[in-house]
Amino acid sequence: MILTVTPNTALDITYRVQSLRPHASHRVTEVTERPGGKGLNVARVLAALGHEVTVTGFAGGATGHIVQQRLTAEPGVTDALVPIAGASRRTIAVVDERTGDTTQLNEPGPAIAPAEWSAFQEAYEDLVADASAVALCGSLPPGVPVNAYAGLVRTARAAGVPVLLDTSGEPLRRGVAARPDIIKPNADELAELTGSHEPLRATQDARRRGAHAVVASLGTEGLLAVTPEGRWRAAPPARVHGNPTGAGDSAVAGLLSGLVDHLPWPDRLARAVALSAATVLAPVAGEFDRGAYEELLGQVAVTTAATAA
Amino acid sequence: MILTVTPNTALDITYRVQSLRPHASHRVTEVTERPGGKGLNVARVLAALGHEVTVTGFAGGATGHIVQQRLTAEPGVTDALVPIAGASRRTIAVVDERTGDTTQLNEPGPAIAPAEWSAFQEAYEDLVADASAVALCGSLPPGVPVNAYAGLVRTARAAGVPVLLDTSGEPLRRGVAARPDIIKPNADELAELTGSHEPLRATQDARRRGAHAVVASLGTEGLLAVTPEGRWRAAPPARVHGNPTGAGDSAVAGLLSGLVDHLPWPDRLARAVALSAATVLAPVAGEFDRGAYEELLGQVAVTTAATAA
């Protein structure tokens, strides 16, 4: 199985309102809820591709209970979230029906106690032993040490299990130094890590900091990969329009899926780009359009990238 | 015991954010949650005054479960909410720390099935038999007939139990015709019911439509009461500044408390105005400041009101 780790699990709630006006009272016309946090989104896409996936991280309180109930109902996904005393966070996306724009309200998430973090590390070590690949995803909740991902990367590498890290800021900086197999920063995360806004230069620099392979997601331009086997750019056949929510998580799922299927890098990148574009095109945020995915898969252009000076 | 009915029970969630900007992403700095819906607020104030209170209405899903857990923890409040298949609604108040303003997002609430409405009516009839007074509070969720309050008023009156109705729009119009003992509209609700924006004229008109007593809440001006025993205005000693959330519910609690304590009307009105002002002054929305209440109680000016021409 593939293991995804989401320390800051969430219940993602979407509200539709006619028009969002600060200081006014709004009747919500539609409410949807689903388990969220980057690793859970990655797991959902992997399961849809036919992989067995186990999700871990933390869950607590009434919100954690809903997250676990929903996860258990998804075929192919095994819930191994570690219980905590605090309540899991909610995120609320308020969609303005008039403009289509989204306003996001993110709860901070519960503080993780030292004993809970220890219990998680033990559970993680057991889970890694059975995993074909590991993805470490998203932000760290309060109470989890900032070098947490570095430790989790080392545990996976010691077990000989390939590990992908998808986070930002200081947790990314510390995690990279532990030499993960793949990191997948977006342009902003890459610039924050390296200080360079030039994608190829920054991607190469991120590799020098410790990552074996760096796959940078450059929005509508697709992916830029710098790996031990070579450098590639992978782009969708045409600019896709839609909701980019979850597109990065779908790219992570594509990379992991290709990795455990032992595909060469160009095919892994094609899978990641096609899934990412099919997620932007899907009517529901974070889902992917299977028909579009299958059609796009043969149309992704993967080209060799030059070396930055 | 006093029975309060809240058909549209809610979990009231308050988010504090630095500054609410549409289309931006916000980190919520503080999350608070409490059981909500007008009848639950009334019950909380009655319990704080030392009355035994039973709350009924509907509760369902994970949100309903949290509401019931919290209610059970409040001393003096007995939970008699009727279970439903749907999930109870949430309301989200987003407080802008920069301006102090609040943006409100209200979920529509679950649809009540015909069998659930029947089960509620049976439970209500049993509860009314043991009640010293009944308060029917707030909006009706989808699936509950618009003349629901009229039926609940008649059940209480048939059992000889005094009944207060605090709602708006068509449910108020239908409910008034069933001759409740007291209605407590605010100025807008009164104008919608009677077509008149002149408070004394509108209050008298509302009585003619069936209510035995009408207590109109006129914001900072206090209360105007037209009753079989006389007409009064009751006003706080000075204009109070603060958060008016829940002030109307505290006034309802004051009226019911005075009724079951067999106080004359002027003393009931003084209690209602003092509680209402002490709620505006409290730092937490919907709570009341007990010290302010006790101090204000002797300072409320109750004067006889003239008859409108």
Side-chain angles (χ1 to χ4, degrees):
Chain A
M1 57 83 174
I2 300 173
L3 178 65
T4 76
V5 176
T6 318
N8 222 346
T9 314
L11 181 68
D12 287 340
I13 302 171
T14 302
Y15 283 167
R16 294 183 73 86
V17 299
Q18 273 198 337
S19 173
L20 181 65
R21 286 164 298 126
H23 320 323
S25 188
H26 304 78
R27 190 184 143 82
V28 175
T29 55
E30 193 187 293
V31 183
T32 53
E33 284 187 3
R34 61 173 214 169
K38 292 168 86 72
L40 269 61
N41 299 338
V42 171
R44 195 180 289 115
V45 176
L46 285 168
L49 293 174
H51 297 280
E52 287 294 320
V53 198
T54 296
V55 297
T56 188
F58 299 104
T63 303
H65 185 69
I66 301 171
V67 166
Q68 292 190 287
Q69 273 186 326
R70 296 288 182 94
L71 272 181
T72 308
E74 299 200 16
V77 178
T78 301
D79 163 25
L81 293 167
V82 172
I84 51 169
S88 297
R89 71 195 172 113
R90 289 166 290 213
T91 75
I92 303 204
V94 184
V95 179
D96 184 316
E97 291 180 344
R98 189 175 43 87
T99 63
D101 284 319
T102 297
T103 305
Q104 191 72 37
L105 298 160
N106 297 326
E107 295 187 10
I112 307 299
E116 291 167 343
W117 174 238
S118 300
F120 169 80
Q121 286 172 296
E122 277 181 40
Y124 172 78
E125 202 166 334
D126 289 346
L127 290 165
V128 162
D130 293 327
S132 54
V134 176
L136 306 172
C137 302
S139 60
L140 298 174
V144 171
V146 70
N147 65 348
Y149 280 137
L152 301 182
V153 165
R154 279 190 285 268
T155 301
R157 292 185 55 77
V161 179
V163 54
L164 181 151
L165 175 62
D166 185 14
T167 186
S168 59
E170 196 58 25
L172 173 59
R173 184 182 305 277
R174 305 278 190 111
V176 165
R179 308 188 64 74
D181 293 273
I182 308 173
I183 62 171
K184 194 222 61 62
N186 62 30
D188 288 344
E189 291 160 354
L190 197 58
E192 195 189 353
L193 177 66
T194 65
S196 167
H197 287 272
E198 200 287 296
L200 187 54
R201 183 181 303 274
T203 304
Q204 289 180 183
D205 180 31
R207 257 203 90 203
R208 278 194 292 272
R209 288 167 185 266
H212 287 261
V214 179
V215 182
S217 55
L218 305 174
T220 52
E221 289 172 48
L223 299 176
L224 168 63
V226 178
T227 81
E229 284 89 53
R231 294 172 173 77
W232 293 274
R233 289 183 187 274
R239 185 163 176 156
V240 290
H241 293 278
N243 187 338
T245 303
D249 301 331
S250 290
V252 168
L255 294 175
L256 285 175
S257 170
L259 184 152
V260 301
D261 286 351
H262 306 292
L263 298 187
W265 267 105
D267 293 344
R268 295 188 202 176
L269 296 171
R271 195 174 275 189
V273 168
L275 275 174
S276 193
T279 300
V280 174
L281 289 169
V284 177
E287 310 272 308
F288 73 94
D289 181 317
R290 183 175 292 274
Y293 164 61
E294 285 166 4
E295 200 181 319
L296 284 162
L297 194 54
Q299 299 174 13
V300 175
V302 183
T303 54
T304 305
T307 312
Chain B
M1 58 85 175
I2 300 173
L3 178 66
T4 76
V5 176
T6 317
N8 222 347
T9 313
L11 181 68
D12 287 340
I13 301 171
T14 303
Y15 283 167
R16 295 184 74 86
V17 299
Q18 273 197 339
S19 173
L20 182 66
R21 285 163 299 126
H23 320 325
S25 188
H26 304 77
R27 189 184 145 82
V28 175
T29 55
E30 192 188 292
V31 182
T32 53
E33 285 187 2
R34 61 173 214 170
K38 292 167 86 71
L40 270 60
N41 299 339
V42 171
R44 195 180 290 116
V45 176
L46 284 169
L49 293 174
H51 297 280
E52 287 294 319
V53 197
T54 297
V55 297
T56 188
F58 300 103
T63 303
H65 186 68
I66 301 171
V67 166
Q68 292 191 286
Q69 274 186 324
R70 296 289 182 95
L71 273 182
T72 308
E74 299 200 17
V77 177
T78 301
D79 163 26
L81 293 166
V82 172
I84 51 169
S88 296
R89 71 195 172 112
R90 289 166 290 213
T91 74
I92 302 202
V94 184
V95 178
D96 185 316
E97 290 180 344
R98 190 175 42 87
T99 62
D101 284 320
T102 297
T103 305
Q104 190 72 38
L105 298 159
N106 297 325
E107 295 188 9
I112 307 300
E116 291 167 343
W117 173 238
S118 300
F120 169 80
Q121 286 172 295
E122 275 180 41
Y124 172 78
E125 202 166 333
D126 289 346
L127 290 165
V128 162
D130 293 326
S132 54
V134 176
L136 306 172
C137 303
S139 60
L140 298 174
V144 170
V146 70
N147 65 349
Y149 280 137
L152 301 182
V153 165
R154 279 190 286 269
T155 301
R157 292 186 54 78
V161 178
V163 55
L164 181 153
L165 176 61
D166 184 15
T167 186
S168 60
E170 195 59 23
L172 174 60
R173 186 182 304 278
R174 305 279 191 109
V176 165
R179 308 189 62 75
D181 293 273
I182 309 173
I183 64 172
K184 193 221 63 61
N186 62 29
D188 288 345
E189 290 160 353
L190 196 59
E192 197 189 353
L193 176 65
T194 64
S196 167
H197 287 272
E198 200 287 296
L200 187 56
R201 184 181 303 275
T203 304
Q204 290 180 182
D205 180 30
R207 257 202 92 204
R208 277 194 293 271
R209 286 165 187 268
H212 287 261
V214 180
V215 181
S217 55
L218 305 175
T220 52
E221 289 171 50
L223 300 176
L224 169 63
V226 178
T227 81
E229 285 87 52
R231 294 173 173 77
W232 293 275
R233 287 182 188 275
R239 185 161 177 159
V240 289
H241 294 278
N243 187 336
T245 303
D249 300 331
S250 290
V252 167
L255 295 175
L256 284 175
S257 170
L259 184 152
V260 301
D261 287 350
H262 305 292
L263 298 186
W265 266 105
D267 293 344
R268 295 188 203 176
L269 296 171
R271 195 174 275 190
V273 167
L275 275 174
S276 194
T279 301
V280 173
L281 289 169
V284 177
E287 310 273 308
F288 73 95
D289 181 317
R290 182 174 292 274
Y293 164 61
E294 285 166 6
E295 199 182 320
L296 284 162
L297 194 54
Q299 299 174 14
V300 176
V302 184
T303 54
T304 305
T307 312

